[in-house]
Amino acid sequence: MSESQHIIDKEEQIDTSKVGDTISRIDAPKKDEILSNFESFKSYLNRRIALGESLGLSEEQLAQVAEKVADYLAAHEDPRNAEENLLKELWKVGEQDERHKLAHMLVRLAQQS
């Protein structure tokens, strides 16, 4: 897989425009495994956040990526449980600044998993 397909390049710069492409490359069984229940989802986020932190990403950068992931999920994935449904509904009614704050809270929630 080429570097142009990744969200973070070798200079550790983030290109959040690639989030959708990156998520869409996850095969259906793996995506179902991740989204099947909220604990699996938080665990997956925790691993990805830990990877981002090991690359030196700040909480703000992590929240920016989380915001793009949430945008993608809200537009392309049906909620598979009550928690995901609540997040999708909050995302739909939230203004931009509220969504950004929710992304920060999701990062912190996943970090505590």
Side-chain angles (χ1 to χ4, degrees):
M1 185 175 310
S2 74
E3 180 184 333
S4 66
Q5 294 177 309
H6 292 282
I7 295 170
I8 302 171
D9 66 21
K10 60 186 168 189
E11 282 85 34
E12 298 179 5
Q13 298 300 310
I14 298 174
D15 184 354
T16 58
S17 69
K18 296 179 182 175
V19 168
D21 291 338
T22 301
I23 295 172
S24 68
R25 286 195 310 269
I26 300 173
D27 64 21
K30 181 65 176 176
K31 195 180 295 183
D32 286 340
E33 178 186 323
I34 294 165
L35 298 174
S36 65
N37 70 62
F38 196 61
E39 291 304 315
S40 296
F41 178 66
K42 286 192 317 184
S43 177
Y44 179 80
L45 286 179
N46 178 278
R47 291 189 306 276
R48 293 296 166 215
I49 289 167
L51 176 62
E53 289 173 331
S54 73
L55 294 171
L57 299 182
S58 68
E59 182 179 330
E60 180 61 29
Q61 290 171 310
L62 293 168
Q64 289 171 358
V65 175
E67 196 172 342
K68 291 293 184 178
V69 169
D71 281 340
Y72 178 89
L73 293 175
H76 297 97
E77 295 292 332
D78 290 327
R80 290 170 172 83
N81 53 62
E83 295 89 348
E84 289 173 9
N85 190 54
L86 174 61
L87 287 173
K88 184 173 184 170
E89 292 300 315
L90 290 171
W91 204 254
K92 283 184 353 188
V93 300
E95 300 291 331
Q96 180 61 38
D97 63 323
E98 294 167 323
R99 288 178 177 185
H100 187 70
K101 289 176 186 172
L102 183 56
H104 272 279
M105 292 188 322
L106 287 169
V107 167
R108 281 186 243 131
L109 178 68
Q111 286 172 321
Q112 294 177 356
S113 294

